[in-house]
Amino acid sequence: MNYIRLFVITLLVSIFGQPLQANTTPLTTENLKIATALLQESDFSRGNVSGIIWDIDIETQSKGKIQKNSLRVLVKGTNSLAIYQSPSKVKGRKLLMKNRNMWFIKPGLSKPVPISPRQKLLGGASNGDIASTNYAGDYTIESFTEDIFQNEPCYIYELKAKNKKVTYDKIRYWVSQDRKIGLKAAFFTKSGKMFKTAFFEYDHTITLNGKDRLFVSKMTIVNTMVKTDKTIMAYNNINIKEISPSSFNLNLLVR
Amino acid sequence: MKTRLAFSIIISGMLFLFFGMDLCLNLPVAFADNVDEQQAFEDTNAQETESVFPNIGFMEKLEQGFELNLKATALGTITGIATSNKNPGNRFAQIPDKGIILTLKPDMSLVYDDWLFSAKPRLELEQNQWTIDGNSHNSSDQKAQIIEFKIRRLLFDNLFASYGCENLQWGPSFLYSPSNPFFNDNGKKNLVEDLKGKGFFKLVFVHDFSWSTSLIYNSDKGAFNESDFKKVLALKIDYSGDESYASLILSHKDNKETRLGLFGGTTLNDAVIIYAEANLQQGSQALFPVALQNPLAWQLDAIKKDDHSLYTTLITGMGYTFESGNTLTLEYLYYGQGYDSKEASNYRLLKNTAASFYSSGTALAGYGGKVLGDAASNGLDFLRQNYLMVQYLNEDILEEIIDGIDLVSRLTYCLDDKSSRLYSSLSYDMNDHTQLMLSGMMNTGGVDASFGTFLYYQVQVALEYSF
């Protein structure tokens, strides 16, 4: 009987106590350097390069309805420009983001309209989700912990926004130790409530600094409150190149 | 005949381009205007990441650089004309009370190396009905015109030169754009009708991601029908940072005023943006009522054109986005040139006197008509000085019942004479190609107030099909 009790306790602890068992690495200067370097590496695989142009197909599933948008997106640092490609009724619309300074341009309306970051123009995705990821630059590592995610050894990062300019205040981020890519992210409100999680797939490869590197192909965002609400962002036609500042200049964007 | 010929040529050209070149499916190479192929600094070698900018031939460049957005719209309008002695029997203003416009809108652009060409031809069929002194009249018209076009070239390192017929718009305000010396409306005439452009030479130098300078010369009236057109030269300096933006516009109109325009704004947090837009000018070209010591009694005159006083126009605004995505916008406008109480009272007397002359059937009728004409185009964008605007954008207002219905409601209120304009528009996405729109506008305050001199209400319905 005691053996059975011991077995059940061990089983329960192994199931529910996994985070407690996880190996939290102390944040020494050396460890922080290593953690930051790995985070930077994972950022490269999610577009944080000197300039990138990609096509993003966004599918939003909400309340049993499906909405699809296709965008061509140019990103350079904190600047990004999304140009709507489809459906036909929105073709030619543009969303210009200079970090939190955002403008919406609609064909037929010569005047660009300033918008707040909260305005939803991309279905279930936040405006900031279409930009490249610079977690290493925008967030402070509060802790990182060894873990296993989908049978893959990884580190869980607890990230805190360095300032209010970024899309999310707090992120829990799973990064593969071997492949150096982000696998999963949980996003939290300021009050500490998790409101969405994202899963990443890497079916693309790019060459960066002479090395082949996995590159993000899909991001699936799930609403934590309403699990059936989901946004899938598929990345295609990835083209890494220098983009000039004039691509993000409002005077030149309205045709 | 000429119009028909132009109509046929444009339609044939459009059909050829549309069906002959497999256009819409290809994204233009330099949709970004200036992505520099030569500056590519990294190779991408995976099958999924093949370059979209290979060394391609002339025809391929044309095909990839060409973009066509084709729309067809139908707009129906019903207007309630204000009954007043300023427009007796609608004889004076001759405003249609019903109308329908069918428009084909092939917006096209071509990016070829450092060049950009764009054009917005409009093919219109219009039918109107209006009532003058109780008698109905009908008219129909067909027009083929290019409302905007542009040719632009990248000269060197982020310096762009262009000439075009454009409707240049900028600034954050919805109600009015005082910093813009060329156009001060919001770039849209009604639900689907686009505004025409004027002729501009422009030089735009983009210093970096934050700063740019533009030299803009308004050389001709373009598609506008302005009898008193004057050339304008403007210098515009723009800053656009991570959270804030600001611009300064210095302009001079030929033989007229020099103006300083400004606008700026910032994102306070995820949900709140604030902004302001202003204009400072010496003197005013607007017409003001002047009492005469003769039987004509009144006239309108630009009595402040040589005035050394500075006139300010200022808009401050704030936008708040709710968790649902709905957005509330508030704007306050101070319009320094607008009539004060005494001038407004004189203006009312002037119009009443002119209206009585106009209806008198005497030798003064002509003079009355002229004064009413001057009063209707007195050079003021707003009659009085203080206005408030509240706008609410309600997205997916009936999402539980029917998807894709957005509602915009706007109230513009004159704090000086308590008159107002109520406007609401509803748009419904019928499918990925078709949008149905409905709008209603109503003026309150009477014919002598800021709004409603000529119109009581207007209802419009529009259908837009995107190919």
Side-chain angles (χ1 to χ4, degrees):
Chain A
M1 191 63 188
N2 281 344
Y3 287 113
I4 294 170
R5 189 177 293 166
L6 187 62
F7 173 73
V8 169
I9 290 169
T10 310
L11 189 68
L12 288 173
V13 167
S14 62
I15 293 169
F16 298 108
Q18 201 162 334
L20 301 174
Q21 290 179 343
N23 181 15
T24 304
T25 309
L27 275 179
T28 60
T29 314
E30 191 58 31
N31 284 340
L32 193 60
K33 248 187 208 171
I34 295 165
T36 307
L38 181 61
L39 196 59
Q40 267 169 353
E41 292 270 339
S42 69
D43 283 345
F44 288 144
S45 291
R46 289 187 54 205
N48 188 28
V49 289
S50 289
I52 189 166
I53 302 170
W54 51 19
D55 290 342
I56 306 179
D57 294 322
I58 303 177
E59 183 181 308
T60 303
Q61 302 168 12
S62 177
K63 295 172 186 165
K65 295 162 196 162
I66 295 177
Q67 184 193 338
K68 290 180 181 175
N69 281 309
S70 292
L71 313 169
R72 176 154 283 194
V73 182
L74 290 80
V75 185
K76 165 91 180 179
T78 58
N79 305 276
S80 57
L81 171 69
I83 306 161
Y84 290 68
Q85 306 295 331
S86 70
S88 305
K89 65 184 178 193
V90 297
K91 193 179 176 195
R93 291 183 183 182
K94 292 171 186 163
L95 173 61
L96 174 68
M97 292 185 283
K98 307 198 90 178
N99 211 329
R100 287 166 69 82
N101 183 4
M102 301 183 183
W103 295 85
F104 182 59
I105 301 160
K106 199 173 169 183
L109 192 68
S110 308
K111 186 165 182 161
V113 177
I115 60 167
S116 71
R118 194 186 268 180
Q119 256 173 291
K120 291 183 174 70
L121 299 167
L122 304 165
S126 295
N127 296 341
D129 285 335
I130 60 163
S132 62
T133 304
N134 183 18
Y135 288 172
D138 294 337
Y139 292 85
T140 305
I141 301 169
E142 292 196 317
S143 73
F144 73 110
T145 310
E146 280 188 43
D147 195 19
I148 304 286
F149 178 74
Q150 291 177 339
N151 300 320
E152 192 169 347
C154 61
Y155 289 110
I156 306 177
Y157 286 79
E158 297 291 341
L159 303 173
K160 175 85 182 142
K162 284 181 180 168
N163 53 53
K164 60 177 185 175
K165 291 178 185 174
V166 293
T167 309
Y168 304 107
D169 187 57
K170 201 177 162 195
I171 302 171
R172 184 173 296 150
Y173 193 39
W174 283 255
V175 179
S176 163
Q177 291 182 22
D178 299 330
R179 295 195 291 159
K180 297 175 180 170
I181 52 173
L183 302 172
K184 179 187 170 185
F187 304 103
F188 295 82
T189 60
K190 273 187 181 162
S191 59
K193 199 171 176 182
M194 183 164 68
F195 68 105
K196 60 187 185 183
T197 51
F199 301 89
F200 308 98
E201 292 174 32
Y202 296 82
D203 293 335
H204 296 313
T205 312
I206 60 163
T207 302
L208 203 61
N209 301 326
K211 276 168 57 183
D212 282 356
R213 175 181 295 278
L214 289 173
F215 204 81
V216 68
S217 57
K218 197 190 228 183
M219 176 178 178
T220 304
I221 303 167
V222 181
N223 185 325
T224 318
M225 319 287 180
V226 190
K227 298 264 194 239
T228 50
D229 284 8
K230 194 189 281 187
T231 301
I232 301 164
M233 300 170 70
Y235 302 85
N236 289 299
N237 296 324
I238 293 152
N239 194 16
I240 295 169
K241 58 173 58 220
E242 194 65 53
I243 303 175
S244 78
S246 48
S247 298
F248 306 101
N249 190 284
L250 211 52
N251 292 306
L252 299 166
L253 281 176
V254 181
R255 284 186 188 169
Chain B
M1 189 64 192
K2 275 182 184 171
T3 311
R4 276 192 191 160
L5 186 62
F7 212 89
S8 311
I9 290 169
I10 292 175
I11 285 193
S12 311
M14 292 311 307
L15 291 174
F16 167 73
L17 291 172
F18 190 64
F19 294 109
M21 289 180 68
D22 186 22
L23 300 167
C24 287
L25 304 176
N26 292 305
L27 299 168
V29 174
F31 54 85
D33 301 332
N34 34 57
V35 174
D36 190 345
E37 290 177 51
Q38 308 307 317
Q39 292 177 0
F41 72 105
E42 292 289 354
D43 291 327
T44 57
N45 65 352
Q47 56 177 19
E48 300 89 345
T49 57
E50 271 185 7
S51 169
V52 293
F53 305 112
N55 293 323
I56 53 173
F58 173 75
M59 282 312 289
E60 279 174 290
K61 273 188 184 178
L62 278 187
E63 211 173 317
Q64 289 198 9
F66 189 85
E67 187 171 291
L68 173 69
N69 285 321
L70 182 60
K71 288 185 179 185
T73 61
L75 172 72
T77 306
I78 296 172
T79 304
I81 298 160
T83 313
S84 79
N85 58 2
K86 280 78 182 177
N87 184 25
N90 195 26
R91 283 203 306 275
F92 177 67
Q94 301 193 351
I95 300 165
D97 43 27
K98 287 184 193 118
I100 186 161
I101 305 174
L102 305 175
T103 312
L104 194 61
K105 302 176 171 185
D107 289 356
M108 55 187 96
S109 63
L110 170 68
V111 178
Y112 189 91
D113 290 340
D114 291 337
W115 291 89
L116 164 76
F117 306 88
S118 67
K120 293 184 180 176
R122 293 291 178 268
L123 313 170
E124 279 182 7
L125 292 173
E126 186 174 359
Q127 180 128 27
N128 284 310
Q129 178 190 304
W130 67 91
T131 307
I132 297 174
D133 287 334
N135 300 315
S136 282
H137 303 262
N138 288 297
S139 75
S140 59
D141 193 12
Q142 53 190 38
K143 278 184 270 184
Q145 58 180 340
I146 296 177
I147 58 164
E148 285 190 273
F149 69 87
K150 180 161 60 185
I151 302 166
R152 187 172 80 200
R153 186 164 195 267
L154 173 63
L155 293 180
F156 58 88
D157 265 3
N158 289 337
L159 178 64
F160 295 81
S162 68
Y163 174 74
C165 180
E166 296 178 74
N167 194 287
L168 284 183
Q169 299 279 341
W170 58 64
S173 322
F174 284 91
L175 182 59
Y176 185 57
S177 186
S179 71
N180 190 330
F182 312 110
F183 304 95
N184 45 30
D185 45 46
N186 69 1
K188 191 108 182 169
K189 195 171 175 183
N190 55 41
L191 288 174
V192 289
E193 206 175 346
D194 306 320
L195 290 177
K196 298 167 184 173
K198 294 179 183 175
F200 289 98
F201 285 100
K202 283 196 300 178
L203 273 177
V204 180
F205 182 63
V206 182
H207 305 268
D208 54 31
F209 285 97
S210 300
W211 291 93
S212 64
T213 306
S214 309
L215 191 64
I216 307 166
Y217 181 54
N218 180 198
S219 58
D220 59 83
K221 61 185 174 183
F224 267 71
N225 188 21
E226 285 181 347
S227 54
D228 61 341
F229 171 80
K230 298 283 180 195
K231 293 172 181 173
V232 183
L233 180 67
L235 176 73
K236 181 166 179 267
I237 299 168
D238 299 295
Y239 165 77
S240 183
D242 277 352
E243 287 187 334
S244 308
Y245 55 88
S247 293
L248 182 147
I249 305 104
L250 187 66
S251 65
H252 179 74
K253 194 178 267 192
D254 257 9
N255 305 320
K256 287 198 172 181
E257 75 265 8
T258 298
R259 294 166 38 135
L260 178 68
L262 302 154
F263 68 84
T266 188
T267 303
L268 285 186
N269 57 42
D270 213 35
V272 182
I273 55 170
I274 55 168
Y275 52 83
E277 189 164 353
N279 164 46
L280 200 63
Q281 68 180 70
Q282 195 173 44
S284 168
Q285 296 295 327
L287 303 178
F288 289 79
V290 179
L292 301 174
Q293 302 304 319
N294 61 40
L296 298 177
W298 293 97
Q299 71 174 29
L300 280 160
D301 203 359
I303 52 174
K304 298 183 181 177
K305 66 179 177 184
D306 299 319
D307 193 343
H308 291 291
S309 310
L310 288 175
Y311 291 92
T312 309
T313 304
L314 171 72
I315 284 191
T316 56
M318 189 205 88
Y320 178 80
T321 306
F322 296 87
E323 286 286 359
S324 59
N326 296 340
T327 302
L328 177 73
T329 307
L330 298 171
E331 287 183 0
Y332 164 72
L333 164 69
Y334 172 72
Y335 187 65
Q337 292 180 76
Y339 293 158
D340 59 24
S341 299
K342 186 157 185 278
E343 288 161 341
S345 170
N346 288 343
Y347 180 68
R348 191 168 54 246
L349 287 170
L350 173 142
K351 285 203 295 181
N352 285 336
T353 309
S356 64
F357 286 168
Y358 183 65
S359 307
S360 66
T362 67
L364 289 172
Y367 179 74
K370 181 196 172 299
V371 175
L372 283 178
D374 288 345
S377 52
N378 59 1
L380 290 174
D381 296 314
F382 291 86
L383 189 67
R384 305 298 298 271
Q385 294 181 332
N386 296 282
Y387 293 84
L388 272 181
M389 189 212 73
V390 185
Q391 178 177 280
Y392 191 68
L393 167 65
N394 202 328
E395 289 180 340
D396 254 343
I397 187 169
L398 298 173
E399 66 172 332
E400 300 303 326
I401 308 163
I402 188 165
D403 233 7
I405 296 186
D406 296 338
L407 175 71
V408 179
S409 307
R410 188 182 305 139
L411 168 70
T412 312
Y413 181 72
C414 176
L415 295 167
D416 299 315
D417 63 19
K418 318 295 181 213
S419 64
S420 65
R421 170 167 292 171
L422 290 156
Y423 174 85
S424 255
S425 77
L426 204 82
S427 64
Y428 169 46
D429 295 335
M430 298 171 77
N431 54 45
D432 281 349
H433 294 272
T434 317
Q435 207 175 27
L436 179 67
M437 289 163 270
L438 179 70
S439 77
M441 184 273 286
M442 195 174 77
N443 293 318
T444 69
V447 294
D448 288 320
S450 282
F451 308 101
T453 302
F454 293 110
L455 302 183
Y456 278 146
Y457 67 86
Q458 189 168 66
V459 178
Q460 292 192 317
V461 61
L463 195 66
E464 183 174 86
Y465 185 84
S466 306
F467 291 87

Short mmCIF file of all heavy atoms in Angstrom, two decimals, chain B residues 6 22 36 46 49 59 119 136 148 167 190 198 239 266 271 277 312 318 336 344 364 367 370 391 396 419 425:
data_model
loop_
_atom_site.label_atom_id
_atom_site.label_comp_id
_atom_site.label_asym_id
_atom_site.label_seq_id
_atom_site.Cartn_x
_atom_site.Cartn_y
_atom_site.Cartn_z
N ALA B 6 -12.52 59.62 -76.07
CA ALA B 6 -11.59 59.44 -74.95
C ALA B 6 -12.05 58.30 -74.05
O ALA B 6 -11.26 57.47 -73.60
CB ALA B 6 -11.52 60.74 -74.14
N ASP B 22 -1.97 39.93 -67.32
CA ASP B 22 -1.99 39.15 -66.07
C ASP B 22 -1.45 40.00 -64.92
O ASP B 22 -0.49 39.67 -64.24
CB ASP B 22 -1.13 37.91 -66.25
CG ASP B 22 -1.23 36.99 -65.04
OD1 ASP B 22 -2.23 37.10 -64.31
OD2 ASP B 22 -0.32 36.19 -64.83
N ASP B 36 16.45 49.10 -52.62
CA ASP B 36 17.61 49.16 -53.48
C ASP B 36 18.20 47.78 -53.69
O ASP B 36 18.76 47.17 -52.80
CB ASP B 36 18.66 50.09 -52.84
CG ASP B 36 19.78 50.38 -53.80
OD1 ASP B 36 19.88 49.65 -54.81
OD2 ASP B 36 20.54 51.32 -53.54
N ALA B 46 17.63 29.44 -49.83
CA ALA B 46 16.69 28.35 -49.74
C ALA B 46 15.62 28.49 -50.80
O ALA B 46 15.38 29.57 -51.30
CB ALA B 46 16.05 28.36 -48.36
N THR B 49 13.11 31.02 -50.16
CA THR B 49 13.51 32.41 -50.03
C THR B 49 14.24 32.91 -51.26
O THR B 49 15.13 33.74 -51.17
CB THR B 49 14.42 32.58 -48.80
OG1 THR B 49 15.53 31.71 -48.95
CG2 THR B 49 13.69 32.26 -47.53
N MET B 59 10.34 43.47 -70.27
CA MET B 59 8.92 43.12 -70.16
C MET B 59 8.56 42.60 -68.77
O MET B 59 7.51 42.92 -68.22
CB MET B 59 8.54 42.07 -71.22
CG MET B 59 8.35 42.63 -72.60
SD MET B 59 7.32 44.11 -72.66
CE MET B 59 5.71 43.42 -72.32
N ALA B 119 -1.50 56.94 -62.23
CA ALA B 119 -2.62 57.71 -62.78
C ALA B 119 -3.93 57.19 -62.21
O ALA B 119 -4.07 56.00 -61.92
CB ALA B 119 -2.64 57.60 -64.30
N SER B 136 -39.36 70.54 -62.33
CA SER B 136 -38.27 69.55 -62.33
C SER B 136 -37.48 69.61 -63.63
O SER B 136 -38.04 69.80 -64.71
CB SER B 136 -38.84 68.15 -62.18
OG SER B 136 -39.18 67.93 -60.85
N GLU B 148 -6.01 62.42 -60.98
CA GLU B 148 -4.66 62.53 -60.42
C GLU B 148 -3.69 61.74 -61.28
O GLU B 148 -4.04 60.69 -61.81
CB GLU B 148 -4.60 61.97 -58.99
CG GLU B 148 -5.22 62.83 -57.92
CD GLU B 148 -4.91 62.31 -56.52
OE1 GLU B 148 -5.67 61.45 -56.05
OE2 GLU B 148 -3.92 62.75 -55.93
N ASN B 167 -3.71 65.35 -55.10
CA ASN B 167 -4.45 65.93 -53.99
C ASN B 167 -3.60 65.68 -52.74
O ASN B 167 -3.70 64.62 -52.12
CB ASN B 167 -5.83 65.28 -53.86
CG ASN B 167 -6.74 66.06 -52.96
OD1 ASN B 167 -6.56 66.06 -51.75
ND2 ASN B 167 -7.69 66.76 -53.53
N ASN B 190 -17.30 62.38 -50.74
CA ASN B 190 -18.45 61.67 -50.18
C ASN B 190 -18.09 60.21 -50.02
O ASN B 190 -16.91 59.86 -49.97
CB ASN B 190 -19.68 61.89 -51.05
CG ASN B 190 -19.43 61.50 -52.49
OD1 ASN B 190 -18.79 60.48 -52.75
ND2 ASN B 190 -19.91 62.29 -53.42
N LYS B 198 -4.30 69.03 -57.97
CA LYS B 198 -3.73 70.23 -58.59
C LYS B 198 -2.31 69.90 -59.05
O LYS B 198 -1.73 68.92 -58.60
CB LYS B 198 -3.67 71.38 -57.58
CG LYS B 198 -5.02 71.89 -57.13
CD LYS B 198 -4.82 73.01 -56.11
CE LYS B 198 -6.15 73.50 -55.57
NZ LYS B 198 -5.98 74.50 -54.50
N TYR B 239 9.35 65.42 -39.12
CA TYR B 239 10.04 64.52 -38.18
C TYR B 239 9.07 63.40 -37.82
O TYR B 239 7.89 63.64 -37.55
CB TYR B 239 10.44 65.29 -36.91
CG TYR B 239 10.84 64.36 -35.79
CD1 TYR B 239 12.08 63.73 -35.80
CD2 TYR B 239 9.95 64.07 -34.75
CE1 TYR B 239 12.43 62.84 -34.80
CE2 TYR B 239 10.31 63.19 -33.74
CZ TYR B 239 11.54 62.58 -33.77
OH TYR B 239 11.89 61.69 -32.79
N THR B 266 1.43 62.56 -30.69
CA THR B 266 2.18 61.53 -29.99
C THR B 266 1.25 60.40 -29.55
O THR B 266 0.04 60.60 -29.39
CB THR B 266 2.94 62.13 -28.79
OG1 THR B 266 3.81 61.12 -28.25
CG2 THR B 266 2.01 62.59 -27.68
N ALA B 271 -3.68 52.93 -26.20
CA ALA B 271 -5.03 53.29 -26.63
C ALA B 271 -5.20 54.76 -27.00
O ALA B 271 -6.17 55.12 -27.66
CB ALA B 271 -6.01 52.95 -25.53
N GLU B 277 -2.85 70.66 -34.73
CA GLU B 277 -2.50 71.17 -36.06
C GLU B 277 -2.84 72.65 -36.07
O GLU B 277 -3.88 73.06 -35.53
CB GLU B 277 -3.29 70.39 -37.12
CG GLU B 277 -2.85 70.69 -38.53
CD GLU B 277 -3.35 69.67 -39.55
OE1 GLU B 277 -3.94 68.64 -39.16
OE2 GLU B 277 -3.14 69.92 -40.74
N THR B 312 -4.84 82.98 -36.32
CA THR B 312 -4.48 81.60 -35.98
C THR B 312 -5.65 80.67 -36.24
O THR B 312 -6.79 81.00 -35.97
CB THR B 312 -4.15 81.50 -34.47
OG1 THR B 312 -3.22 82.51 -34.15
CG2 THR B 312 -3.58 80.15 -34.10
N MET B 318 -7.84 64.29 -29.88
CA MET B 318 -7.47 63.11 -29.10
C MET B 318 -8.25 61.91 -29.62
O MET B 318 -9.44 62.03 -29.94
CB MET B 318 -7.83 63.34 -27.64
CG MET B 318 -7.32 62.30 -26.70
SD MET B 318 -8.32 62.21 -25.19
CE MET B 318 -9.57 61.07 -25.69
N GLY B 336 -9.53 81.44 -36.28
CA GLY B 336 -9.34 82.86 -35.97
C GLY B 336 -9.95 83.82 -36.97
O GLY B 336 -10.34 84.94 -36.61
N ALA B 344 -21.00 88.28 -37.74
CA ALA B 344 -22.01 87.28 -38.12
C ALA B 344 -23.39 87.93 -38.25
O ALA B 344 -24.16 87.59 -39.15
CB ALA B 344 -22.05 86.17 -37.08
N LEU B 364 -32.10 96.08 -58.94
CA LEU B 364 -31.16 95.64 -57.90
C LEU B 364 -31.02 94.12 -57.84
O LEU B 364 -30.20 93.61 -57.07
CB LEU B 364 -31.63 96.16 -56.53
CG LEU B 364 -31.49 97.66 -56.31
CD1 LEU B 364 -32.17 98.07 -55.01
CD2 LEU B 364 -30.02 98.06 -56.26
N TYR B 367 -27.53 92.88 -58.58
CA TYR B 367 -26.60 93.16 -57.48
C TYR B 367 -26.84 92.18 -56.32
O TYR B 367 -25.89 91.66 -55.72
CB TYR B 367 -26.77 94.60 -57.00
CG TYR B 367 -25.84 94.94 -55.85
CD1 TYR B 367 -24.47 95.13 -56.08
CD2 TYR B 367 -26.32 95.04 -54.55
CE1 TYR B 367 -23.62 95.41 -55.03
CE2 TYR B 367 -25.48 95.32 -53.49
CZ TYR B 367 -24.12 95.51 -53.74
OH TYR B 367 -23.27 95.76 -52.70
N LYS B 370 -25.26 88.93 -57.07
CA LYS B 370 -23.80 88.99 -56.92
C LYS B 370 -23.40 88.89 -55.45
O LYS B 370 -22.47 88.15 -55.08
CB LYS B 370 -23.27 90.29 -57.53
CG LYS B 370 -21.76 90.43 -57.44
CD LYS B 370 -21.31 91.86 -57.69
CE LYS B 370 -19.83 92.03 -57.40
NZ LYS B 370 -19.45 91.75 -56.02
N GLN B 391 -16.31 62.11 -32.95
CA GLN B 391 -16.50 61.04 -33.93
C GLN B 391 -16.35 59.69 -33.24
O GLN B 391 -15.46 59.51 -32.41
CB GLN B 391 -15.44 61.17 -35.04
CG GLN B 391 -15.54 60.07 -36.08
CD GLN B 391 -14.53 60.27 -37.19
OE1 GLN B 391 -14.74 61.06 -38.09
NE2 GLN B 391 -13.42 59.57 -37.12
N ASP B 396 -17.77 46.49 -36.67
CA ASP B 396 -18.59 45.28 -36.52
C ASP B 396 -19.73 45.50 -35.53
O ASP B 396 -19.91 44.74 -34.58
CB ASP B 396 -17.72 44.11 -36.06
CG ASP B 396 -17.48 43.14 -37.21
OD1 ASP B 396 -18.23 43.22 -38.20
OD2 ASP B 396 -16.56 42.33 -37.11
N SER B 419 -25.21 75.78 -33.84
CA SER B 419 -25.69 74.94 -34.94
C SER B 419 -24.82 73.69 -35.02
O SER B 419 -23.74 73.63 -34.42
CB SER B 419 -25.62 75.71 -36.26
OG SER B 419 -24.28 76.01 -36.56
N SER B 425 -22.23 57.22 -41.26
CA SER B 425 -22.10 56.36 -42.44
C SER B 425 -21.89 54.93 -42.00
O SER B 425 -21.24 54.65 -40.99
CB SER B 425 -20.96 56.84 -43.34
OG SER B 425 -19.73 56.48 -42.82
#
